[in-house]
Amino acid sequence: MAVCRGCAFHAEHPVRHPLHGDYYTGNTLARDGRIVAVLDWDETFVGAPELELAAAALEWGDDLAGPSEEFVAAYHEAGGTAARLDEESLAQLVRHKLRREYAYFHKGVTHDEEDIEYHRARVELFHRLRP
């Protein structure tokens, strides 16, 4: 029997701790180029730190190109708790984040044109990151 991709990932990455769940620049405060606070903890959950790393790499990367390798390298250099990920694993975790965004977008909220364009770009990125 084949093991599901997600199950294999979680078996290979057993570390768990609280994650913010909505980690992006709008939920951070910075001073002198350093994040000093993370706000809006209503989507917190316990999970593998690699999930949050992928979401943050997407946020501080180039939305059109995908996750920031520079961000991931700086995270590891600073001693972050997430394991190192190969390119495909990082891309798949970013796709996981984009799936969650897609579901949230379709919750019946009215969106303006800017929201719709952002959503379209994120869906395109989801497809570009496909293995």
Side-chain angles (χ1 to χ4, degrees):
M1 177 189 305
V3 176
C4 76
R5 226 182 200 160
C7 299
F9 172 82
H10 288 291
E12 295 167 8
H13 299 86
V15 173
R16 301 287 181 273
H17 57 71
L19 303 175
H20 183 269
D22 190 20
Y23 195 63
Y24 80 106
T25 56
N27 282 339
T28 60
L29 294 177
R31 183 180 306 131
D32 299 325
R34 296 184 62 91
I35 294 175
V36 295
V38 180
L39 311 170
D40 191 14
W41 288 82
D42 65 322
E43 294 185 31
T44 301
F45 64 99
V46 173
E50 293 81 10
L51 296 170
E52 198 95 295
L53 174 58
L58 174 62
E59 180 61 30
W60 278 284
D62 180 345
D63 281 343
L64 300 177
S68 169
E69 292 177 19
E70 181 180 342
F71 179 89
V72 172
Y75 169 88
H76 287 298
E77 185 176 309
T81 59
R84 296 192 183 272
L85 297 167
D86 60 55
E87 189 176 322
E88 182 178 344
S89 295
L90 180 61
Q92 292 311 302
L93 291 177
V94 167
R95 291 181 89 220
H96 173 74
K97 165 73 173 162
L98 294 171
R99 280 186 200 94
R100 290 177 49 224
E101 285 183 8
Y102 185 91
Y104 184 79
F105 183 86
H106 290 284
K107 283 189 122 181
V109 177
T110 303
H111 300 285
D112 63 21
E113 199 54 44
E114 185 178 331
D115 293 337
I116 293 168
E117 186 54 40
Y118 179 80
H119 176 70
R120 284 186 191 127
R122 299 292 259 201
V123 170
E124 288 174 16
L125 176 59
F126 175 84
H127 291 290
R128 278 198 313 275
L129 292 173
R130 180 175 25 209

